Amino acid sequence: MTVTLSKGERVSLTKADGGTLTQVRMGLGWDAMKKRGLFGSRSQTIDLDASALLFDVGGRLVDQVWFKQLTSTDGAVRHTGDNVTGDGDGDDESIRVDLTKVPGQVTAIVFTVNSFTGQDFSQIENAYCRLVDESDEGEIARYDLSGSGRHTAQIMAKLTRDRSGWSMTAIGAAALGKTFRDLLPAVSRYL
């Protein structure tokens, strides 16, 4: 069963049978809007990048996974590769997380998306992020990145660890930046 989340909504990652998820994938999908011109419309290339930022309880960045570092230092978080166009169906970029291997010091994993090529979100359509249970490919939660605007990035969602396990919170906050580094001041508000 998929839960469609709105900004600020949270979903537990405890399975219906009482077990907990161990392997999840955050998928990002998007399409570039066709540019309209004097001679019809034409395709454009928009390079969105998904990143996972790992924070400790003090809000300090412990590690990051993005197109220049596809695997976290401990191997618990892995990016499947950079899609520079958004072409095709389904997830254009994915980040896999083995929750059992995430170091104990990491209490939050924040997922961001930014337009590396600098186009703003008014030129992007059908954008979403989703959380998938890797054990059965079941979609746990989906967050539509609607609300096109002049921003070049979004702080999508975060996984948070507490005594009862992991949960996901949809953030969907607009931001500006070409890489996750540009987003760190904005991300800190959601830790």
Side-chain angles (χ1 to χ4, degrees):
M1 178 178 83
T2 299
V3 175
T4 301
L5 298 176
S6 298
K7 288 181 183 182
E9 287 186 316
R10 185 175 176 157
V11 63
S12 171
L13 299 187
T14 302
K15 290 185 173 187
D17 65 7
T20 58
L21 294 172
T22 57
Q23 307 268 336
V24 295
R25 182 178 74 242
M26 179 64 70
L28 167 67
W30 77 93
D31 294 314
M33 293 179 84
K34 301 265 190 235
K35 282 201 163 234
R36 294 172 207 231
L38 201 51
F39 302 105
S41 61
R42 62 181 171 84
S43 296
Q44 61 177 327
T45 299
I46 296 179
D47 181 7
L48 292 187
D49 291 318
S51 302
L53 311 175
L54 290 72
F55 292 93
D56 66 15
V57 71
R60 289 177 293 277
L61 183 65
V62 175
D63 206 348
Q64 66 277 327
V65 173
W66 61 311
F67 73 90
K68 288 190 177 184
Q69 179 182 324
L70 295 178
T71 305
S72 61
T73 307
D74 53 48
V77 182
R78 293 175 290 121
H79 197 299
T80 60
D82 190 20
N83 179 325
V84 297
T85 65
D87 289 341
D89 294 328
D91 299 341
D92 296 310
E93 291 194 11
S94 293
I95 298 176
R96 291 185 159 101
V97 181
D98 184 339
L99 296 170
T100 64
K101 292 183 180 177
V102 174
Q105 72 185 45
V106 174
T107 57
I109 302 172
V110 178
F111 296 96
T112 64
V113 59
N114 52 273
S115 173
F116 186 72
T117 46
Q119 292 101 328
D120 62 49
F121 272 58
S122 69
Q123 299 174 56
I124 300 164
E125 60 187 4
N126 305 319
Y128 66 87
C129 72
R130 67 190 190 120
L131 192 67
V132 175
D133 179 348
E134 287 270 61
S135 70
D136 64 7
E137 291 299 311
E139 189 173 272
I140 302 161
R142 174 179 286 264
Y143 178 62
D144 292 317
L145 300 171
S146 55
S148 297
R150 306 301 299 175
H151 54 283
T152 58
Q154 279 207 5
I155 303 163
M156 297 188 312
K158 74 175 175 178
L159 297 178
T160 307
R161 177 178 13 211
D162 59 27
R163 290 184 190 139
S164 61
W166 290 91
S167 60
M168 176 188 169
T169 303
I171 298 172
L176 296 172
K178 288 186 166 193
T179 71
F180 80 86
R181 288 189 177 102
D182 301 329
L183 307 179
L184 288 174
V187 167
S188 67
R189 289 181 280 212
Y190 299 97
L191 295 176

